[in-house]
Amino acid sequence: MEERTGRAPLYSQDPGSGPNASQSFFYPMDLYDSEDRLSIFPEEKIRMREVAQEPKKVERGPELSSATQEEVEELARYYGLEEDKEFEGETEAGSVLRSGISEYQSTPSLRSHNVPKRRDPGREDKDWEYLEEAADAEDDRFPGWGSQGQYQELREAYRYTRGRSSEDYECYVIPEEEDEEEAADIFCVTCKIPIRAFDNLFGEHKEHEVTQLNTAAENARDEIHKNMFKLEEQIIQMENFASHLEEVFITIEENFGRQEQNFELHYNEILETLAQKYEEKMQALGEKKREKLEALYGQLVSCGENLDTCKELMETIEEICHEEKVEFIKDAVTMADRLGEFLKTKTDVELSTHPDFEDQTIDFSDVEQLMDSINAIPAPCAPVINTQTPNSATGTSVKVCWSLFSDDTVESYQLSYKPVSDGAPTEEQKEFSVNVKESHYSVANLVPNTQYEFWVTASNSTGVSPPSERAVYVTAPSPPIIKSKEILSCEHAALVCWESGNMNPVDSYTIELSKVDNEDSGNVVTESIVGIPTCESLIQLQPGESYLVYVRAINVGGPSERSEPATIHTTGTYFHLNKDTSHPLLSILEDGFTVVRGKGEKSAREPLDSDTRFTRCVAVMGSLIPIKGRHYWEVEVDEQMDYKVGVAFQDMSRHGELGADSSSWCMSHTFTSSRHKYEFLHNGATPEIQITVPPKKIGILFDYDSYRLSFFNVDIAQHLYTFSYPLQHFVQPCFSLEKPGMLRVCIGISMPKFATLF
């Protein structure tokens, strides 16, 4: 929709009208615009608008009839132009319309003129259609519109007036590429398109849910990022699936080869068995044939011998019959005896064997067993043991997973493992085995932060598979041990140290912080610091808080359990006295902050020659947190005690005195029977300062940022002295007892207000 109040349309040349046929359109412009405006109609005199505060006369066209004047004013009201500034009882819009109608009526050629169109001609035509219907119906609301012809004249005059150039309507030629709708400034959530705010109030998007374009763009960007993340996950999933398909293809080929080899092996074995049975049966049958033939041949030979004997006897008898009687009788008696003996011999005329062979029964049970074995389940192939999944182990257990070929039938698995060792196996490194049904198992009762070798075999009713390749799994580490007494802290940071608690190295450590606000919030982790490579970490904290600190050790198996907590306070400065630097004549009591010098001269338990211990100055050095900022602590002393308190570099010579060179700064007190002597020593020099009230509690403020070391008498809030010296390295607190006595270091104290003034 177009704005109506206080706006005028830009002139737009109609496409095709003009030598270059350039396009331009109407755009609403402020009636009170700058002086750099273009004149579209050079034949008209363009006058600059006067200053808004000054009254301005509007040139009136020729006087119109009262009916026409009412029509113009009604039209101006309808288009919201009545809100323009009025001069002498007539609106500017009415004056413009009046002059337009007069010029239109006096110039017939304009009636056929190609009138420039408004930016939204559809809206204008819709409005005029409404007026036309009202004119036709002679609505009471528009009693003075007159006839249809008069309505058309008013419409053309209005169009001409809205398109003409005058002092009230700025005109600019807008290039075609800028011919766009008014820029959208909100987003319709219902329709999911950018729209104008005006459309949400009065247009077709009225009462739709809307939001700001920036918010919609951010939401769309987040949605795109989420979809991209899902798409990446899907890509990874599809790539993994494709890899799995390739593995399945390879597995099918391998399974086919194994089955082919299995069938060939079984069929060759069956053929060998059948050939062996054939040879055995043929050999037995040939043996029986030989036996039958030998028996028949014996009978045939015996029969031939008997036949020859019979023929010989017949020939002999015939010869005897032709002999003389005497000779016949002699030979006949002998022949009769011989013939009687021969006839007494029984001749076997029965066959010794039958020509038929017995039916041979072949035992094919072993062949059938071999045939059945072809269809039997083959022994499984070697399983594939998986590599360790991160964070899958605890300090005493690991979860081992494996897989096998898809067509293998497995009844059970045997999982074996042993600790990994580079040396000779020991009793603790013997192998262990466990039988499981599933393709995964959680092995318990292991040693923390230790590597183990795992391998697995599969078995079924046919046999046992070869063992898988060996995979190394590692258990999670043991919890670290925080050195609570060695924690150093200040208002903004803390240095935490701990022991690993593991024989083998770990990958990294994680610190977990919990603010101690009340009893219920002690175990709620408010911050975690991960990827710490060593057994100490400098962590940033908020001042005036109390924290519980936990440490976990991390390796590929996963994180360890939490360590025992340590408490850190960020109220003041916390440090400890380094016993390794203490002179042998000094003793540090159990509280860790009371320093005592006895009356003995030397201690036989410690040698004086040391690079870490003080050998000349009877002193001890503290361990201050290595972080810049302000550090404050106090020292309780006796008025009649000789002492030195101050700071020194870590590499200060242990064979010198505090304040004697450029590596240390201190406040020195020497007591005699007559007076107290106070010195502020650095490089062996001291300023002349008189202290009238001997301090019993000395406040020490060291400020790295301003390079200042200040001393205070805490009891009376008195500033004693301040060293100013630019430092290139961190310093440590130092405490010395020149004679037998005792001093006590007070830490964790909030900086008093009087110390902040210096």
Side-chain angles (χ1 to χ4, degrees), residues 384-447:
V384 179
I385 194 165
N386 300 340
T387 57
Q388 185 174 13
T389 303
N391 302 324
S392 62
T394 66
T396 58
S397 67
V398 294
K399 184 177 182 181
V400 185
C401 300
W402 58 89
S403 59
L404 67 160
F405 292 103
S406 57
D407 60 345
D408 281 348
T409 300
V410 177
E411 296 178 359
S412 64
Y413 300 95
Q414 185 180 60
L415 178 64
S416 303
Y417 60 96
K418 68 175 183 178
V420 176
S421 175
D422 296 333
T426 62
E427 182 66 22
E428 296 180 355
Q429 296 167 351
K430 64 180 181 179
E431 296 183 2
F432 301 89
S433 297
V434 59
N435 293 323
V436 295
K437 293 291 185 181
E438 304 294 334
S439 59
H440 57 83
Y441 185 73
S442 293
V443 183
N445 300 323
L446 302 178
V447 180

Side-chain angles (χ1 to χ4, degrees), residues 285-303:
L285 189 61
E287 189 68 25
K288 287 185 178 182
K289 173 186 175 182
R290 186 180 62 77
E291 292 176 357
K292 287 180 179 293
L293 292 177
E294 288 179 354
L296 291 175
Y297 180 76
Q299 283 187 316
L300 182 61
V301 171
S302 177
C303 182

Side-chain angles (χ1 to χ4, degrees), residues 9-42:
L10 290 173
Y11 174 72
S12 170
Q13 186 175 0
D14 194 64
S17 62
N20 298 325
S22 62
Q23 276 191 326
S24 53
F25 299 87
F26 276 106
Y27 279 89
M29 296 291 293
D30 198 333
L31 293 177
Y32 309 98
D33 210 339
S34 65
E35 298 179 1
D36 303 330
R37 54 190 179 184
L38 299 177
S39 175
I40 304 303
F41 298 99

